[in-house]
Amino acid sequence: MLKMVDIEFIKKKHFREGWSIRKLSKTLEISRQAIRKAINSTDVPKYNLRKPKASPVLGQYHELIKKWLQDDETSPPKQRHTARRIFDRLVNEYGYTGAESTVRRYINIVKSKPREVFIPLTADYGEQAQIDWGKAFLTVGGTLTRVNIFCFRLRASGVAFAAAFPTEKIEAFLAGHQMAFEWLGGVPQECVYDNLKTAVVKRLDKHERQEHVLFSALRAHYLFDSKFCNPAKGNEKGSVENLVGYVRRNALVPDIGWDSFEELNSHLKGWCNKERQLRSLKWEEEKSHLQPLPMQSYVCASIRSTIVSSRSLIAFDRNHYSVPCAYVGQAVYIKALWNKVIILSRDKIIAEHIRCYDQRQVLTQVEHYLPVLEKKPRAVDQAIFVRRLGPIWDKARRLLNATNQTQYELVKILGLFKEFKEETITAAVAKSMEMNQLSFAYVRHLITNSNPPENAAVKVDLPIYLENYRARFPDLTMYDSLAPRGISI
């Protein structure tokens, strides 16, 4: 076989100096057929095997390795043969004497498949948005929390929106859409998703889905279409797939800590505003193609009915929330938002709680139990809603216990929850204990003095024309003439 330098020499003599095939064959003592092949060869040398190379050591185990790999297809992915395990079995069970690298090369050949070809995708302005969830660990309310990031990106302009939630439940999913649409000031024609459990109840076939009824209601309100990717095909919404990591790295590093999810979302919104400015030209074009927002805002909540228990509690999402004791035994409605639980009776809000995402928790409010507490004052010492008020109240309870006033005086102090906020009453209780004057009358006195009623006298600035005015005091001696003689007033 001719080497590359020989082919180069033959080509130069033939094409530059005009040597004939006959002359080259005679001079170089190479057959004419080989000369012609060298002249017609490409610039890139290649070598084609006429038949596979022999594998004298591993060859006898080829069929056995294929069988093991075939059997693995029905096993769990984490319980299949690795190349190392196949090599060990060949050595220990069959006396294989070859190298591990030979086994690995053969396994790669057996497993090799044609690479999938991906088609570049695009969308017109206003046509499509892509949506996904991401996760991050951030300090919220002083606690390291797993935060769920709702990520939304317009396909044409690349403008992105992100919001943080403590959950991926349907209420948060709906609220994420609402926040994104209101921030954009419009709605795209369609949104693309994975097969999210919050949106998809059941896969009917390759393209059809049975959607969650609340998600369908959201689409009916904002008038956009939904489109779902094929399973395990995140590349079909690759625009938003990259957004999850981008938000984590650029908007949430470092973890400076936030007091609440509302504060965290305000931070994310500010970051999104800056990112949108970087795409201002494309954004102006995309904005003009978005559908307008509906006239009315959408309520991102799930609603269900329940009965108030004898403990004046309702059960929701594996937790219990208190309601006023007057509603015990009655049917009420629960309106669950991502951050609140609102309880209604005949369209009247009777209680509102911050939503809890722990389990088996009892969330109570003192004012819900005051009427029954006045009838059962002995329960105040161990009432769950009293024990949870904090260390200042524990100290007050023990102090009143020592003077045998707990049952009545503490109930009267708790009655102030009907008029004032908890932090105001707690501050007054703490100050009254500092003054050794813990009683209902003194606590109320402190509160009313620090919080004057609305109709109390208020200092008013004088008009300019009265600033220099000085009132003259009258001469009161004139009244002496009115008194009997000898008596001075």
Side-chain angles (χ1 to χ4, degrees), residues 24 63 76 85 99 112 118 168 189 193 225 244 323-324 373 427 438:
L24 286 167
E63 294 303 319
R85 179 56 182 153
S112 63
F118 298 100
E168 289 185 8
Q189 296 175 24
Y193 309 86
D225 297 325
V244 174
V323 299
L373 195 60
L438 180 59

Side-chain angles (χ1 to χ4, degrees), residues 137-186:
F137 286 89
L138 303 172
T139 304
V140 181
T143 304
L144 187 62
T145 306
R146 190 178 79 165
V147 174
N148 300 278
I149 310 297
F150 178 87
C151 296
F152 178 106
R153 190 195 286 276
L154 292 172
R155 183 68 181 84
S157 64
V159 169
F161 175 81
F165 299 94
T167 179
E168 289 185 8
K169 290 181 181 291
I170 185 66
E171 297 85 7
F173 185 60
L174 301 178
H177 284 79
Q178 183 185 52
M179 291 179 185
F181 294 154
E182 291 182 353
W183 180 73
L184 293 170

Side-chain angles (χ1 to χ4, degrees), residues 125-309:
Y125 286 111
E127 178 184 358
Q128 185 184 98
Q130 299 178 358
I131 295 168
D132 200 5
W133 283 104
K135 298 188 186 300
F137 286 89
L138 303 172
T139 304
V140 181
T143 304
L144 187 62
T145 306
R146 190 178 79 165
V147 174
N148 300 278
I149 310 297
F150 178 87
C151 296
F152 178 106
R153 190 195 286 276
L154 292 172
R155 183 68 181 84
S157 64
V159 169
F161 175 81
F165 299 94
T167 179
E168 289 185 8
K169 290 181 181 291
I170 185 66
E171 297 85 7
F173 185 60
L174 301 178
H177 284 79
Q178 183 185 52
M179 291 179 185
F181 294 154
E182 291 182 353
W183 180 73
L184 293 170
V187 182
Q189 296 175 24
E190 69 175 17
C191 293
V192 183
Y193 309 86
D194 282 329
N195 293 276
L196 303 166
K197 291 182 180 180
T198 46
V200 177
V201 176
K202 184 180 180 181
R203 284 184 58 216
L204 302 178
D205 59 30
K206 187 174 182 180
H207 301 291
E208 295 297 322
R209 306 289 188 273
Q210 180 183 341
E211 295 179 352
H212 194 292
V213 62
L214 293 180
F215 177 60
S216 296
L218 178 82
R219 292 200 302 105
H221 182 83
Y222 287 105
L223 302 179
F224 67 92
D225 297 325
S226 57
K227 184 178 178 181
F228 296 94
C229 299
N230 290 314
K233 293 294 181 181
N235 58 285
E236 294 180 7
K237 57 176 184 60
S239 178
V240 77
E241 289 286 330
N242 297 329
L243 178 60
V244 174
Y246 186 77
V247 171
R248 270 197 301 259
R249 293 187 299 271
N250 294 277
L252 302 175
V253 175
D255 176 14
I256 61 176
W258 292 270
D259 292 336
S260 64
F261 275 91
E262 286 75 15
E263 184 180 345
L264 174 55
N265 281 327
S266 177
H267 164 77
L268 284 172
K269 188 175 180 179
W271 178 82
C272 291
N273 289 336
K274 294 178 182 178
E275 288 290 308
R276 184 165 58 181
Q277 288 298 319
L278 300 177
R279 301 172 180 267
S280 56
L281 295 179
K282 288 186 176 182
W283 163 239
E284 290 300 323
E285 182 69 25
E286 181 111 57
K287 181 171 64 174
S288 64
H289 288 81
L290 294 174
Q291 302 175 103
L293 289 171
M295 295 295 294
Q296 295 181 338
S297 182
Y298 185 75
V299 180
C300 301
S302 60
I303 298 176
R304 64 192 69 182
S305 62
T306 187
I307 303 295
V308 181
S309 73

Side-chain angles (χ1 to χ4, degrees), residues 89 289 361 371 383 400 446 453 464-465:
R89 287 193 64 184
H289 288 81
Q361 301 298 311
L400 291 173
L446 291 174
I464 296 176
Y465 63 87

